[in-house]
Amino acid sequence: LAKTTQPISMDSYEGQEVNITCSHNNIATNDYITWYQQFPSQGPRFIIQGYKTKVTNEVASLFIPADRKSSTLSLPRVSLSDTAVYYCLVASDNYGQNFVFGPGTRLSVLP
Amino acid sequence: EAGVTQFPSHSVIEKGQTVTLRCDPISGHDNLYWYRRVMGKEIKFLLHFVKESKQDESGMPNNRFLAERTGGTYSTLKVQPAELEDSGVYFCASSQEGAIGSNEQFFGPGTRLTVL
């Protein structure tokens, strides 16, 4: 079971780039790295997923080094509405117990 | 396209009573998952349906919890009898593909269950 470690909280200001790093030292060969975002009173929302190198979509970028023991979620030019909890998950296929959310990182974007 | 919906949004019951939570996944999603976050803890996996079959129910806490998905569409999660420690938020999610770790899951807003 790949355990993840990420900062409990981060503060940023509007317009800044935010990088949240997640450590997963015992990631397995067939594990994917997935990031979810959760606002209060809502369910988690998928942001981005990757296996290695770099992945970019319209919302964020995900950087994964060659050893895959960590990953960094990058949010460009955050706004107040990006204030949320961000979860890093590492899991492979079809075993639900591996899909562990952890405490996440509470990002506060300040004006 | 409608997202995952859950009903009710909030339920308050007394210890020993029965509660049934409902989840309607996104149309066409064969895979349906239940999670819960009890007070002060992290979101934990409960079980996974593929169509009407239970693919993985390793996260179900005990036999007071019964999940069903008749016909492979909506799902219900019944708690009988409810205990105080069952209080929390119950999330449902669905996905097109069945691989839990490698596919996007769409979550509903959750049902907040309060057991008094």
Side-chain angles (χ1 to χ4, degrees), chain A residues 26-98:
Chain A
N26 59 340
I27 188 170
T29 302
N30 55 349
D31 282 342
Y32 289 82
I33 301 159
T34 311
W35 286 80
Y36 280 80
Q37 173 193 56
Q38 186 178 26
F39 299 112
S41 301
Q42 294 186 24
R45 183 174 75 101
F46 175 94
I47 301 176
I48 198 166
Q49 183 180 80
Y51 183 80
K52 61 181 180 180
T53 64
K54 176 183 175 182
V55 180
T56 297
N57 61 23
E58 64 277 8
V59 177
S61 294
L62 178 60
F63 299 91
I64 306 169
D67 65 5
R68 304 201 325 126
K69 293 183 182 299
S70 67
S71 58
T72 299
L73 174 72
S74 181
L75 305 172
R77 299 181 299 281
V78 294
S79 63
L80 296 177
S81 62
D82 292 317
T83 294
V85 179
Y86 292 81
Y87 298 97
C88 165
L89 292 87
V90 174
S92 57
D93 298 346
N94 292 326
Y95 185 42
Q97 289 283 21
N98 284 346

Side-chain angles (χ1 to χ4, degrees), chain A residues 36 38 49 92 94 96-97 99, chain B residues 35 37 56 58 98 101-102 105:
Chain A
Y36 280 80
Q38 186 178 26
Q49 183 180 80
S92 57
N94 292 326
Q97 289 283 21
F99 209 61
Chain B
Y35 297 83
R37 189 215 310 269
D56 178 1
S58 59
S102 61
Q105 294 185 36

Side-chain angles (χ1 to χ4, degrees), chain B residues 14-74:
Chain B
E14 293 188 350
K15 175 183 174 181
Q17 289 186 320
T18 297
V19 63
T20 300
L21 313 180
R22 171 170 171 145
C23 168
D24 285 79
I26 292 173
S27 178
H29 283 191
D30 287 340
N31 297 277
L32 187 149
Y33 315 84
W34 283 99
Y35 297 83
R36 74 170 182 175
R37 189 215 310 269
V38 294
M39 300 305 288
K41 299 292 182 60
E42 297 157 6
I43 298 173
K44 290 287 182 66
F45 167 87
L46 294 179
L47 87 160
H48 170 204
F49 282 101
V50 178
K51 297 184 179 179
E52 67 275 10
S53 299
K54 293 177 184 175
Q55 174 79 11
D56 178 1
E57 53 183 330
S58 59
M60 294 288 265
N62 52 60
N63 59 9
R64 295 186 293 104
F65 289 76
L66 175 64
E68 295 180 321
R69 193 183 181 196
T70 306
T73 54
Y74 71 90

